Amino acid sequence: MTAPLLSVEAVSVSYGKIEAVRSVSLDILPGQIVTVIGANGAGKTTTLGGIMGILPCRGGITFQGAPLATVPVEARVASGMSLVPEKRELFVTMSVADNLILGAYRGVRGAALRTALDEVYDLFPRLRERRQQAAGTLSGGERQMLAMGRALMARPKLLMLDEPSLGLAPRIVMEIFHLITRLRSTGVSILLVEQNARAALKTADYAYVMETGEVTLQGPASELAQDPRVIESYLGVRGTTQKAEETPA
Amino acid sequence: MDFNIALFLAQDGITNGAIYALLGLSLVLVFTVTRVILVPQGEFVAYGALTVVGLEMGTIPGTAWLLLVLGAAVFVADALRAENGRQPRILMLRALTDLVLPAVLLGVCWVVAPLDLGVWVTAPLAVALVAPLGAYIYRLAFRPLAQSPVLVLLIAAVGVHLAMIGLGLVFFGAEGFRSEPFTTASLTLGPMMVSGQSLWVLGTTSVLITSLWFFFGHTITGKALRATSVNRLGARLVGIPADRSGIIAFTMAAAMGAISGVLIGPVTTVFYDTGFLIGLKGLVAAIMGGLVSYPIAAAAALAVGLIESVASFEASSFKEVIVFTTIIPVLLWQSLRSSHVEEEEE
Amino acid sequence: MVLRNWLVAGLAVLGVALPLVPVTPDYWIVLLNAIGLSSLVVIGLVLLTGVGGMTSFGQAAFCGFGAYATAVLTTSMGLSPWLTLPIAIAVTCTAAALIGLMTVRLSGHYLPLGTLAWGISLFYLFGNLEVLGRHDGIPTVPPLNIGGWDLYDNRAVYFIIWALVLLAAFATLNLLDSRVGRALRALRGGVVAAEAFGVNTRRAKLVIFVYAALLAAVSGWAFAHVQRAVNPTPFGLGAGIEYLFMAVIGGVGHVWGAVIGAAAVVLLEDRLQIILPALFGHSGNYETIIFGVILVLLLQFARSGLWGLALRFIPELERRAPAQKTAPTEAAPLPRRTPPRRGEPLLEVQSLQRNFGGLTAVKSLSFSVNAGEVVGLIGPNGAGKSTTFNLISGILPPSSGTIRFQGRDISGLGPRDVAAMGMARSFQHVKLLPDMTVLENVMLGAHLRGRAGMVSAILRRDRTEERRLRAEAERQLIRCGLADYMHVKAGALPLGQSRVVEIARALSLDPLLILLDEPAAGLRHGEKQALATLLDSLRDEGTAVLLVEHDMDFVMNLVDRLVVMDFGAKIAEGSPEVIHSDPKVLEAYLGGIE
């Protein structure tokens, strides 16, 4: 078995006295897409915050075999972890190009920086069209693309995406998920936190289900997609629809 | 008020305004990057001016000793906190910035002070002595409070102001001083006589403001500072260390304060506590710019300078009352703009 | 408790005996008087900063108003100091009200900067006005007198000063433990929640601003007659900063911390002024340096101040409500609203629209809720549900469209007015006050059902009404199954329970319509069932419920009707059965990935 790229062991995160995430463990193998699904408030975003070092947490996290406990966020970025947060956190008053250039703050300069920029522009042609525009003037979908592009500028080994489909029109959600699949083929491992359970389970290799701060189910994504408990609770209306359809039969 | 007086007041106001602009810009810089309202900004001004005076008198100024002590304190505090470990490489680097640098500067003072080399040596040396103080003060006083609310940082800033003003009295005494002018030449423009020192002030501030513009618009470090001020979390997520941004911002603010001090030293009698009021006028300008806008802060600074010079002519004893009262309507307008019920920062 | 009583008794005996014993050095009494005078100002500052969250560097200027008012009136008009006290208070409060009207509106860090500015302005004003004697001040202020006896003796003045301090402290403690007090305590970090339950937070801020100025005026008045001279120096920015320093050292949230902080600073300053020049010579102002350094270290290592430290080691110092269950409070129930007839339209939303910049968060939305109906508002994340709630409850003004409540147009009304009409809400991101008990939080919900004001709170004439409010809050907590948590600090509850406390708080308003934003999030299965039962019983009583919720099972089994939103617009409406099979709803939730 290959060694995991990221290994999270019994991690807990608290806000003051409230424990929002309790003893969560998960692994990501190189080249894998792993998804964490669950309802609002289940602790998914909090877990990502703990992994990235934005929130203080207890438990063990290792990246490429090295423990992260005392490593600050900036150094985690330098070692190849990138987080695209739920709120995107763009530099709204700065241009699209400046946002991307800052994405490589810990990485390449000069000609290599221009190559990296071109690669991101090739992935998201719309960003090239808007490169002089302030990030704050972009639409929701473009902002998500910029946030992903900015993260990719650092050439991460592990890309963590928090609700990339949030608030986006279905067509753009589709684009984003296609892109996630494409990125995997370039060797980037992906940790995908999603509420859109169907889309996430279709894209991912392996999945974890979180409920009130704990991992309650896990398994290969294709298997979880068939699990009646998942269908019931997380495939949302679809689950109840099936029941409704079954009744007359 | 006749035309000549008006011209004279305008010249005076613009010269002072240029200084307030420098201070206002540094306050905006420090606030947007670290959320600290730099109340002690004015102390850097007084320290700058009086350090020049000290060197002119052939003594080693107190600021050189302060630098040595603060550097050592920062070195020890950081080693104790050991956030990034105590690896020899990091310790070596820190020893260089925290111990060797102050020692070298102190050595330079020791050599230079008795030689009386004139303003072209003393002025840059004074700035070099005061600028690192900013970084040390940030690391000692504010970095441990980095996650705190703005109000806590503000109270800490007042604490730093108290300590610095007390130290200022120790170093420079209660007397006021003027330093030697950069030039005694003056220029006659039509009915107006413009002093060379005023031109120096205007020239230097213009150059500084232009280079700031270039720094923020065209260098990756400058962009990273802007990014930190626009979105702190976003900046950390692309790997910009909040720490380093804070250090750079404070160093720049201290340097600009010191430069302001060096520039006004020859035209104003500077006491150990003169800086406070000057700094607060920069703050008035910065607040007019909402603490975020550089151009508005610069324009407001000129306005403050002009209001002050007119007020000192028309109602000299109420000069300060007038200058500081102008801020209230501005503050009111600022907060009315975002008037709907919002959760305030805790 | 026993320890506390002994301490209080000991301090009282010591406090009375000290000036009466002739061997006590006069200098001690001078210092104690200085501590008392500062304490008065700092108690006000504690209320302003620690409770109200408003930092002020300008309190010394208000002392100046009090001091100059009495100095001018007693010297030039020969009035008695006891006659000038009310005048000094009136002058200061008027000035404070005017300054407050301008500055209290300032949000966040602008407020302390504002106080910095007028603190300097007023100092220079005092020093330049002819009538106030310019920088020399007014040198010959008469002493206080009682029955024709002039009180030149520090020991006599001592009793007056400390009587004033105790009066101020107990008045402040009474005020904090009252209906108005709860509203004041909500100012720090709970403005939105307080407004949603009818507290006029802007007025509350002005009230404590003036109250703090009043205490400063009393201190300034006494100062003028103790010093028998007035000049601008003690009322400058430096003094203002020193008062704030005292508050921070003492522990900025506690009334007794103010006294401790004042004592610590006055005594430290006195000692330092003797020790430091001996060590370093006379050329410097060394205590300023030490104060500055202490201030920074205190913020870094002991932000709760000396009182906070004392509490950590001797928790018995604080008077606390019993942690266990107590007998329910007996009181006549509060009057209730007459509910509209079941089925009558209660809330009617028509073509509601809200834009943020170029983004349309809510797009021409129309729906209605009838009395006694439970309606669910669902939709994917970011569909505009919470914005809709904020529009209905008056937290955000709509860009266009109308909202009617009981037939009256409420679009554009603020949250206070909407609450007063009988609409209560909970928040998606829980907005409880973590340092107040659960019971106090819920009592805040009944704010609009009481009337007692500041004066009756200080005089404790509000106790009957307080018991009624308390009984109501207890009733709602028991009903929501939180009887065991009443006296726990709200910050110690897990998220799920906090949401239920929000519901209890909303119920204390006696609402006709209750808006619940994701009430079931974070609840376990059993708790969800209890919540569903509670909402069912509300429906039976005729209260209408509008709720946003993601848990489909919970919603489907509970509601009478569903409104589905996506991208700010309504895409479907109807009974749960109809919504089940609506293709547009499926599309919205599945995100088109097939």
Side-chain angles (χ1 to χ4, degrees), chain A:
Chain A
M1 194 184 148
T2 36
L5 179 70
L6 176 82
S7 163
V8 172
E9 255 186 70
V11 159
S12 304
V13 189
S14 308
Y15 294 107
K17 285 176 191 151
I18 301 167
E19 208 167 52
V21 166
R22 277 181 304 279
S23 190
V24 163
S25 300
L26 50 89
D27 280 330
I28 298 167
L29 301 181
Q32 244 188 351
I33 300 182
V34 173
T35 186
V36 177
I37 57 173
N40 242 5
K44 307 182 300 288
T45 299
T46 309
T47 307
L48 283 188
I51 294 175
M52 197 61 206
I54 301 166
L55 298 170
C57 62
R58 281 167 290 122
I61 305 173
T62 52
F63 183 65
Q64 297 181 302
L68 290 183
T70 60
V71 180
V73 182
E74 303 88 41
R76 295 186 198 206
V77 175
S79 72
M81 299 168 72
S82 266
L83 170 65
V84 179
E86 188 181 348
K87 292 185 178 151
R88 322 311 195 218
E89 312 291 355
L90 298 173
F91 309 124
V92 286
T93 57
M94 303 174 76
S95 70
V96 167
D98 279 349
N99 270 273
L100 291 175
I101 289 170
L102 284 167
Y105 183 81
R106 277 307 180 96
V108 295
R109 294 282 185 279
L113 179 65
R114 271 190 293 280
T115 323
L117 257 178
D118 276 334
E119 281 172 22
V120 169
Y121 284 146
D122 289 343
L123 276 178
F124 307 100
R126 218 153 346 154
L127 294 183
R128 177 177 275 136
E129 288 163 29
R130 319 222 147 186
R131 62 182 180 276
Q132 295 307 332
Q133 231 169 291
T137 64
L138 299 182
S139 72
E142 289 163 349
R143 284 175 188 224
Q144 178 58 31
M145 292 175 188
L146 179 55
M148 284 175 74
R150 187 180 70 179
L152 288 171
M153 288 294 289
R155 302 191 182 242
K157 302 187 181 79
L158 173 65
L159 182 63
M160 294 184 271
L161 301 169
D162 194 356
E163 306 267 5
S165 74
L166 188 68
L168 302 186
R171 199 173 49 82
I172 304 191
V173 173
M174 203 154 63
E175 253 179 66
I176 300 258
F177 276 93
H178 281 315
L179 193 89
I180 292 172
T181 321
R182 236 170 90 198
L183 280 178
R184 190 234 323 249
S185 64
T186 67
V188 183
S189 311
I190 290 164
L191 176 56
L192 173 66
V193 159
E194 257 297 343
Q195 228 180 34
N196 189 336
R198 279 186 74 77
L201 290 176
K202 262 189 154 35
T203 317
D205 304 307
Y206 199 84
Y208 295 85
V209 177
M210 279 190 79
E211 242 172 285
T212 56
E214 287 170 64
V215 170
T216 50
L217 279 175
Q218 59 170 294
S222 50
E223 280 174 31
L224 276 194
Q226 305 302 321
D227 191 308
R229 284 168 296 180
V230 175
I231 293 174
E232 178 81 14
S233 334
Y234 298 102
L235 300 184
V237 186
R238 167 67 174 222
T240 20
T241 317
Q242 280 176 338
K243 269 194 294 182
E245 282 162 357
E246 280 157 15
T247 338

Side-chain angles (χ1 to χ4, degrees), chain B residues 13 18 41 55 58 77 87 110 112 133 153 184 206-207 211 220 225 254 316 329:
Chain B
Q41 171 74 47
L55 289 168
Q87 301 143 8
W110 185 69
V112 164
L133 282 179
L153 293 170
T184 47
S206 315
V207 168
S211 36
I220 191 128
L225 276 184
S316 69

